[in-house]
Amino acid sequence: MEGAELAGKILSTWLTLVLGLILLPSAFGVSLGISEIYMKILVKTLEWATIRIEKGVPKESGLKSSASVGIIQRDESPMEKGLSGLRGRDFELSDAFYFSKKGLEAIVEDEVTQRFSSEELVSWNLLTRTNMNFQYISLRLTTVWVLGVLVRYCVLLPLRVTLAFTGISLLVVGTTLVGQLPDGSLKNWLSELVHLTCCRICVRALSGSIRYHNKQYRPQKGGICVANHTSPIDVLILTTDGCYAMVGQVHGGLMGIIQRAMVKACPHVWFERSEMKDRHLVTKRLKGHIADKKKLPILIFPEGTCINNTSVMMFKKGSFEIGGTIHPVAIKYNPQFGDAFWNSSKYNMVSYLLRMMTSWAIVCDVWYMPPMTREEGEDAVQFANRVKSAIAVQGGLTELPWDGGLKRAKVKDTFKEEQQKNYSKMLVGNGSL
């Protein structure tokens, strides 16, 4: 009995501290300054670790910048110039060397597939798994690394799991109860309150530190919010500062329970798998949503997949064919404190959440940008590219023309055939490159 009583006291004390110091302040959007103190200590610790590493590791062994491996010098000249010289117009066997060279360049410095793996860090953050074994450089660094592991797994992880469980439970229960009310201003107000409160709790479960810029440009009702996509928590990051109507595919399991509860309180747009393939049906439902200026702005990630937050890849044109006002948002995470990128081909959702909850913190900047509309004579693809360029510039991200679908699919044959056609035109002389 004594053991049970002791366990009960520990549990009640733990829940009281969590409720009083984290849950209630986060529910009201108030900070007691605990997270600020934690971040200052963390920054000082990482700076000290970086200095120790620089002293203990030879310069030539340090981590390189993630911007480029710098192995080769790319030749961006067109095919006609690359094959020019003393050769004639007819086919020559030496032409194969040009295509071999281009192929090797693409393999050595592939700018596409490296966007589907975690961003490399210039300095170690006592967290990222590397082959350098920095934790064994000195006894002090080893001690700090071990203490960090104990703090992350024995203190932060239980705390974050408690907060996440509480936030998700309140979201399911709250939206279910609000969904029983008749449609009206009261239901809409309570729905937004539940969403904001629960998302704030879930962000605290990740030790989230978010800075919002240009709040005067926050997406308005009846519009479409588009943002670059790094992680499923992008939704939490944005919903902490304002509510949105989600668009997505119906899921099963825990995610399905959350979706069914949320849609009762808020007009989210969920599609069955078969419906997602019907572009006309999707467009019709989205147009109907933005036609009602009282409904929340729709949140869409046009890339269609998670990118590692170093670049912005091709925006699918479907989101820009609907019409209405587009509200661009740029999201940039700081990888020094934790890797927010979800590599879905490598980690399932449970593994990903475990990695997130054992990181130091999730730190990011969010920029709201001036609303954009489709210009006269501009098609959906051009409009999508213009919005993508604006987000890339604001977030300091690299703009790439490639489809994020290459994360799971092979390169389309049309891309290969394009080079063959250009080569054929050059040989027969009836086309200019």
Side-chain angles (χ1 to χ4, degrees):
M1 290 298 293
E2 292 181 358
E5 291 179 0
L6 179 61
K9 289 181 179 180
I10 294 175
L11 180 61
S12 61
T13 304
W14 173 261
L15 293 178
T16 301
L17 291 174
V18 171
L19 178 65
L21 298 180
I22 302 177
L23 275 178
L24 290 179
S26 61
F28 291 102
V30 178
S31 175
L32 299 180
I34 299 175
S35 58
E36 287 77 5
I37 296 174
Y38 168 71
M39 291 301 299
K40 288 181 180 179
I41 296 174
L42 184 58
V43 169
K44 292 293 184 181
T45 304
L46 295 181
E47 289 177 352
W48 174 85
T50 300
I51 294 174
R52 297 296 303 179
I53 292 171
E54 290 176 350
K55 290 181 178 179
V57 178
K59 293 183 178 179
E60 60 271 14
S61 301
L63 290 177
K64 298 181 179 179
S65 172
S66 60
S68 174
V69 291
I71 297 177
I72 59 175
Q73 184 77 28
R74 280 188 178 273
D75 181 12
E76 302 296 342
S77 59
M79 182 188 300
E80 190 174 36
K81 184 177 180 180
L83 292 175
S84 63
L86 300 177
R87 66 184 302 286
R89 178 177 294 175
D90 296 333
F91 165 79
E92 294 186 9
L93 187 60
S94 59
D95 293 348
F97 291 111
Y98 171 82
F99 294 102
S100 299
K101 173 176 173 287
K102 288 295 183 182
L104 289 174
E105 286 179 355
I107 294 173
V108 174
E109 285 189 344
D110 178 14
E111 65 177 3
V112 179
T113 56
Q114 65 180 335
R115 311 297 174 174
F116 305 138
S117 58
S118 296
E119 179 182 1
E120 295 181 9
L121 298 179
V122 177
S123 61
W124 189 45
N125 60 358
L126 299 175
L127 178 67
T128 306
R129 285 74 173 172
T130 67
N131 294 325
M132 304 299 290
N133 294 325
F134 288 130
Q135 63 267 34
Y136 304 126
I137 289 177
S138 67
L139 179 60
R140 289 183 183 179
L141 194 60
T142 302
T143 303
V144 172
W145 176 70
V146 171
L147 288 175
V149 172
L150 293 175
V151 168
R152 288 189 291 112
Y153 282 89
C154 300
V155 179
L156 294 180
L157 181 59
L159 174 64
R160 290 168 175 174
V161 170
T162 303
L163 291 173
F165 177 79
T166 304
I168 294 174
S169 300
L170 289 176
L171 179 64
V172 173
V173 174
T175 51
T176 301
L177 293 176
V178 172
Q180 306 304 315
L181 299 175
D183 294 337
S185 57
L186 177 61
K187 179 179 180 179
N188 294 336
W189 179 78
L190 288 175
S191 174
E192 293 184 22
L193 180 63
V194 170
H195 279 82
L196 284 173
T197 301
C198 296
C199 287
R200 286 169 180 167
I201 294 174
C202 290
V203 168
R204 292 289 176 95
L206 301 172
S207 299
S209 177
I210 313 167
R211 290 185 296 178
Y212 298 95
H213 308 271
N214 308 325
K215 288 193 174 185
Q216 68 272 21
Y217 296 130
R218 272 190 295 196
Q220 302 298 315
K221 292 185 177 181
I224 302 173
C225 174
V226 298
N228 55 302
H229 197 24
T230 305
S231 160
I233 69 167
D234 293 340
V235 175
L236 295 177
I237 298 298
L238 294 176
T239 307
T240 302
D241 193 49
C243 288
Y244 299 87
M246 312 299 174
V247 178
Q249 182 178 302
V250 175
H251 292 274
L254 176 61
M255 185 64 69
I257 295 174
I258 297 174
Q259 284 182 323
R260 289 190 293 273
M262 290 172 61
V263 79
K264 293 178 181 178
C266 182
H268 298 291
V269 185
W270 305 128
F271 295 95
E272 296 289 347
R273 183 180 296 272
S274 57
E275 294 176 333
M276 288 291 289
K277 298 178 182 179
D278 189 345
R279 176 179 291 184
H280 297 290
L281 176 62
V282 174
T283 303
K284 182 180 179 181
R285 289 186 61 182
L286 295 181
K287 283 184 176 181
H289 183 98
I290 65 173
D292 188 348
K293 299 304 178 182
K294 296 182 180 180
K295 290 185 177 181
L296 295 173
I298 295 178
L299 176 59
I300 299 177
F301 300 105
E303 288 171 297
T305 190
C306 295
I307 311 299
N308 70 354
N309 209 227
T310 62
S311 61
V312 182
M313 303 191 77
M314 186 183 77
F315 278 8
K316 306 294 177 61
K317 66 177 183 178
S319 307
F320 303 88
E321 293 176 325
I322 303 170
T325 303
I326 298 292
H327 299 271
V329 175
I331 306 174
K332 178 62 178 176
Y333 292 91
N334 188 337
Q336 181 184 8
F337 304 98
D339 182 19
F341 169 61
W342 182 33
N343 187 349
S344 56
S345 60
K346 187 176 182 181
Y347 302 105
N348 57 32
M349 180 59 74
V350 175
S351 300
Y352 169 72
L353 291 177
L354 179 62
R355 290 173 64 88
M356 293 283 285
M357 290 188 176
T358 54
S359 297
W360 294 119
I362 298 299
V363 180
C364 72
D365 289 90
V366 175
W367 289 273
Y368 298 113
M369 303 167 62
M372 303 173 68
T373 54
R374 191 166 166 180
E375 297 178 350
E376 186 177 353
E378 187 179 43
D379 61 24
V381 175
Q382 293 171 334
F383 185 28
N385 289 334
R386 184 159 61 91
V387 174
K388 183 185 73 168
S389 299
I391 291 176
V393 171
Q394 181 64 80
L397 305 168
T398 303
E399 182 184 359
L400 296 176
W402 300 98
D403 185 356
L406 292 173
K407 185 177 183 179
R408 300 179 181 85
K410 295 181 179 180
V411 178
K412 295 180 180 179
D413 291 335
T414 53
F415 291 128
K416 304 175 186 177
E417 294 170 357
E418 183 178 354
Q419 295 299 317
Q420 298 172 355
K421 291 178 181 178
N422 289 339
Y423 181 61
S424 300
K425 289 180 180 179
M426 189 182 67
L427 289 180
V428 300
N430 64 353
S432 176
L433 296 179

